[in-house]
Amino acid sequence: MRPHLTFNRPSHNPAFTAKQPGHTYKRLLGTAFACFIGAHSLSPALATTPDDAKKAQTFSQATVISLAQQLAQTPFKEARKAPKELIDLDYATYGKINYQENAAIWGGTPTKFSVQLFAPGFLYKNLVDIDVVENSHAYPLELTEASFDVPSDAIEKLLTQVGQYAGIRLHYPINDDDVKDEFIMFQGASYFRALSKGQTYGLSNRGLAIDVAQPKGEEYPLFKRFWVERPSKYQTAIVVHALLDSQSVTGAYRFGIYPGSPTRVEVNVTLFPRRDIAHVGLAPLTSMFLYGSVDTPDKPDYRPAVHNSEGLQIDRGNGERLWRPLNNPNKLQISAFGDEDIKGFGLIQRHRNFNDYQDLESNYHLRPSAWIEPLNDWGKGQLVLLEIPSNAETNDNIVTYWEPLGGLKKDQSYHYSYRITAANDSPNAASKARIVRSSKGQKLAKGKELQIDYSNIKAQDLDKMVIDASISKGKILSTRIVPHPDINGARVFVTFDPESTNLTELRIQLKKDNKPLAATWLYRWNSDDWP
């Protein structure tokens, strides 16, 4: 059994909010809402009394940037917390608190989007403010007795007294034209998750990572306020703004969200550091890898693989593509890949068939990949990968992010933007030679053996191919390539001897005419994980 290393980080269990593709919501009837909203009137889901009109504030993206800049000049204050009675709710009770579907914001209006909200409690302690934006004016949402279907009068009273929410989720017909499915959610610290057509929740995105795996402990920035812009009935995209706050930094985020096949999110960020931050992670991804691929299970399991993501792909600034199979190590493992103006990176769930997992409940074959593509130059830095020992599939034990060289400096604003694609695989991979499987074994003679399967390779080209294999310590004993008709590709065998070392890095590249045919395959052999 692997030891479990616990980081001081919020749990992020998908059980409360994950919907299976095609999940049927009751059709939202228009009886409680007007059928058409005039160009200059509020949604009927919002209060429209004179007092509410007085609360409205002129709003634009510059509003959030200005708030973040002002906030950075003041000492950090902890976010308001839910009362202890709500925090102490158990898993089952919290799961019974459901947002009333007939209270969905814009639910009965011509727009295809609607907004539902999360109640505070259980793991979700922080209270956040939520505004909706219509006609360039922001209107605060207040929690009322009609907001949630609750298991008891006592919980209803507590929620009403609190008057704030813990997050938001957006709905849109991504699977069926007549059903508004949940496709993105923001809940817990700066976590958010997105779905494309036919997918179910898996890995998480985060707004920012600070001091991950540092001795003093990780810092968790919080999206403390959201603004959701109302789309017109013709729009197929929606905009969400968020104000981020933590001990070290504030930030203004704009999410341009395009649901569909695949769902895309364009993120525009301006940060205002309160202090120098040496270890900061941009566009962080958090996922789960228990076993699969090269990493076999520690104990018998009927499932061939258990993971939300199986590999890290990196498109380097120089054009090279890297593929690193994920690992569930016995000790914390940190890898860093130096680069300049990185083109993209992501945690990929490449195997998309049920037989790859044999899991009827978790449906790992439907979990999304997440691909990060910078939309401006990110300069010099490194892509960091953390693989944390775990013995349970409920633990998120994989973290990756971009760490800019030099970190962030106090009182110097920092701007960057990127696109997230919730795809089934990495981009531009389907028609090219790609790595589809990695495995390991022990040779009967001396040496350890790795096998790498490549799809989309013609058998008649194998004689022209060269296996470029290197090892940082130890030696490569042999390499060979054979046809693999079942995947219209080839299998590469690499035998190596680590000799006296306990840790070594392998790098394998398949070439034709001295040019790479697929991603460069990387692997870290550790005697603790593979004796």
Side-chain angles (χ1 to χ4, degrees), residues 34 51 94 148 170 188 223 241 256 340 355 371 382 400 418 459 482:
D51 286 342
Y94 181 78
F148 292 97
L170 305 184
F223 286 141
H241 302 264
E340 182 172 2
N355 287 338
W371 183 251
Q382 58 184 8
T400 191
Y418 60 99
V482 299

Side-chain angles (χ1 to χ4, degrees), residues 82-139:
K84 186 176 185 300
E85 294 88 341
L86 291 176
I87 295 172
D88 288 344
L89 294 177
D90 59 23
Y91 175 98
T93 305
Y94 181 78
K96 293 177 182 178
I97 303 174
N98 296 305
Y99 192 75
Q100 295 277 28
E101 292 176 2
N102 61 3
I105 311 303
W106 309 316
T109 71
T111 178
K112 293 183 178 182
F113 292 88
S114 64
V115 184
Q116 296 189 23
L117 308 171
F118 289 110
F122 186 47
L123 301 175
Y124 307 102
K125 305 175 184 180
N126 293 315
L127 302 176
V128 302
D129 293 314
I130 301 169
D131 292 51
V132 295
V133 179
E134 299 191 353
N135 303 310
S136 300
H137 285 78
Y139 299 84

Side-chain angles (χ1 to χ4, degrees), residues 222-392:
L222 167 71
F223 286 141
K224 65 185 298 180
R225 187 173 181 181
F226 293 97
W227 295 261
V228 186
E229 294 189 15
R230 179 188 174 190
S232 75
K233 65 179 180 179
Y234 302 107
Q235 287 180 303
T236 57
I238 189 169
V239 174
V240 174
H241 302 264
L243 177 64
L244 179 134
D245 192 19
S246 78
Q247 294 93 329
S248 301
V249 66
T250 67
Y253 286 68
R254 181 189 186 275
F255 300 92
I257 307 167
Y258 303 80
S261 182
T263 292
R264 295 174 290 111
V265 183
E266 295 189 355
V267 189
N268 192 289
V269 185
T270 304
L271 299 177
F272 298 95
R274 284 188 169 103
R275 65 170 178 88
D276 291 349
I277 310 173
H279 302 284
V280 61
L282 311 187
L285 299 174
T286 301
S287 192
M288 180 277 293
F289 181 90
L290 191 64
Y291 65 84
S293 185
V294 183
D295 193 343
T296 53
D298 290 338
K299 56 186 178 180
D301 198 309
Y302 67 90
R303 299 169 297 179
V306 174
H307 50 68
N308 287 334
S309 308
E310 63 187 279
L312 169 66
Q313 180 174 308
I314 306 171
D315 283 4
R316 301 188 62 207
N318 64 5
E320 182 183 19
R321 175 167 289 181
L322 306 178
W323 176 263
R324 166 71 178 273
L326 294 178
N327 184 34
N328 182 4
N330 284 296
K331 297 178 181 178
L332 172 65
Q333 186 165 277
I334 303 176
S335 305
F337 307 87
D339 207 351
E340 182 172 2
D341 292 333
I342 190 170
K343 300 302 181 186
F345 67 93
L347 292 176
I348 308 301
Q349 185 78 323
R350 181 154 285 171
H351 285 80
R352 311 302 304 182
N353 296 319
F354 170 77
N355 287 338
D356 297 322
Y357 306 93
Q358 289 290 333
D359 196 315
L360 291 169
E361 296 179 354
S362 298
N363 288 314
Y364 289 116
H365 63 294
L366 301 179
R367 303 296 172 100
S369 301
W371 183 251
I372 306 297
E373 179 186 357
L375 298 179
N376 63 333
D377 292 338
W378 283 12
K380 293 182 179 181
Q382 58 184 8
L383 197 285
V384 178
L385 171 66
L386 284 89
E387 295 163 302
I388 304 166
S390 176
N391 56 15

Side-chain angles (χ1 to χ4, degrees), residues 371-531:
W371 183 251
I372 306 297
E373 179 186 357
L375 298 179
N376 63 333
D377 292 338
W378 283 12
K380 293 182 179 181
Q382 58 184 8
L383 197 285
V384 178
L385 171 66
L386 284 89
E387 295 163 302
I388 304 166
S390 176
N391 56 15
E393 58 197 279
T394 53
N395 296 328
D396 284 339
N397 64 320
I398 303 295
V399 184
T400 191
Y401 51 82
W402 175 256
E403 186 174 88
L405 182 66
L408 306 182
K409 303 299 182 184
K410 181 180 178 181
D411 298 328
Q412 294 182 14
S413 62
Y414 190 90
H415 177 78
Y416 61 100
S417 58
Y418 60 99
R419 179 185 296 115
I420 306 167
T421 303
N424 285 338
D425 200 341
S426 49
N428 306 317
S431 62
K432 298 180 180 180
R434 61 174 180 161
I435 298 165
V436 296
R437 180 177 177 269
S438 308
S439 58
K440 68 182 180 182
Q442 197 80 20
K443 294 286 285 186
L444 294 177
K446 184 180 180 181
K448 303 179 185 300
E449 187 172 70
L450 293 163
Q451 301 92 33
I452 310 164
D453 290 346
Y454 296 82
S455 65
N456 299 323
I457 290 179
K458 296 178 181 179
Q460 59 267 32
D461 291 338
L462 295 188
D463 291 340
K464 306 173 186 177
M465 294 181 185
V466 174
I467 302 169
D468 184 357
S470 61
I471 189 169
S472 61
K473 296 178 181 179
K475 62 182 177 181
I476 302 294
L477 299 179
S478 66
T479 64
R480 63 190 177 102
I481 184 170
V482 299
H484 194 333
D486 287 346
I487 60 171
N488 188 32
R491 174 168 291 176
V492 168
F493 295 86
V494 177
T495 305
F496 69 98
D497 181 2
E499 298 181 325
S500 59
T501 186
N502 293 320
L503 182 72
T504 189
E505 303 276 356
L506 290 103
R507 180 184 180 93
I508 299 168
Q509 192 173 70
L510 191 60
K511 293 182 176 181
K512 179 184 175 184
D513 299 329
N514 207 33
K515 294 181 180 179
L517 279 179
T520 301
W521 188 89
L522 304 176
Y523 179 69
R524 176 178 290 175
W525 175 84
N526 192 319
S527 61
D528 290 334
D529 301 323
W530 181 7

